[in-house]
Amino acid sequence: MAFKFEKLKVWLKSLDLSGDIHELTLGFPKEELYILSSQIKRAIDSITLNIAEGSTGQSNKEFNRFLGIALRSAIEVVSCLYLAKKRDLIDEKQFKIHYDKLTEIIKMTQALRKALQIN
């Protein structure tokens, strides 16, 4: 592992969840391809990408800014899950599994931001 972000648990969890969300969207109907499927995948990938981009060669202040963007993307994914449930694209069990994983990622990201501010 050559890059700092590759060792971050929050990055690894967001990477795994990105794959899970991709798999979830494969079951969405074709009419959602350029609507909700696209939106949720861009948002989940944004979490992983912003954690990585912010961690490499940046000051703590700059890393904190990128983590803030990642947090907002995570909240966007939560909202997309609500839309998917409302449109009957996912059931309550699928919603809860992904919601819980996002909650964990959000808490980890907030804790990392807090740790950066102490230093």
Side-chain angles (χ1 to χ4, degrees):
M1 294 190 174
F3 300 101
K4 179 180 173 181
F5 68 86
E6 294 172 305
K7 297 174 188 158
L8 294 172
K9 289 180 185 178
V10 69
W11 180 81
L12 293 168
K13 286 189 179 287
S14 67
L15 183 65
D16 288 343
L17 186 55
S18 180
D20 293 347
I21 293 292
H22 172 74
E23 289 294 319
L24 183 71
T25 62
L26 294 177
F28 287 9
K30 190 173 184 174
E31 63 264 14
E32 290 289 350
L33 183 62
Y34 298 107
I35 307 167
L36 192 56
S37 293
S38 175
Q39 188 69 32
I40 197 171
K41 286 199 266 186
R42 283 193 318 271
I44 192 68
D45 288 348
S46 177
I47 299 168
T48 306
L49 295 170
N50 277 290
I51 292 169
E53 186 176 355
S55 73
T56 305
Q58 304 290 330
S59 67
N60 283 354
K61 182 178 179 182
E62 189 68 4
F63 189 17
N64 190 32
R65 186 176 74 79
F66 277 93
L67 291 173
I69 297 167
L71 278 171
R72 289 189 294 279
S73 294
I75 297 301
E76 183 177 351
V77 176
V78 170
S79 189
C80 286
L81 288 174
Y82 272 104
L83 289 170
K85 187 171 78 162
K86 183 79 171 168
R87 295 176 186 173
D88 293 321
L89 303 175
I90 61 174
D91 60 29
E92 184 64 35
K93 182 180 177 185
Q94 291 170 309
F95 174 85
K96 181 159 177 30
I97 288 168
H98 294 89
Y99 184 93
D100 290 348
K101 289 180 181 180
L102 279 161
T103 299
E104 182 180 16
I105 289 169
I106 288 167
K107 287 178 180 178
M108 292 174 77
T109 304
Q110 289 170 327
L112 181 54
R113 288 184 88 192
K114 187 174 182 179
L116 289 173
Q117 291 174 356
I118 292 171
N119 295 333

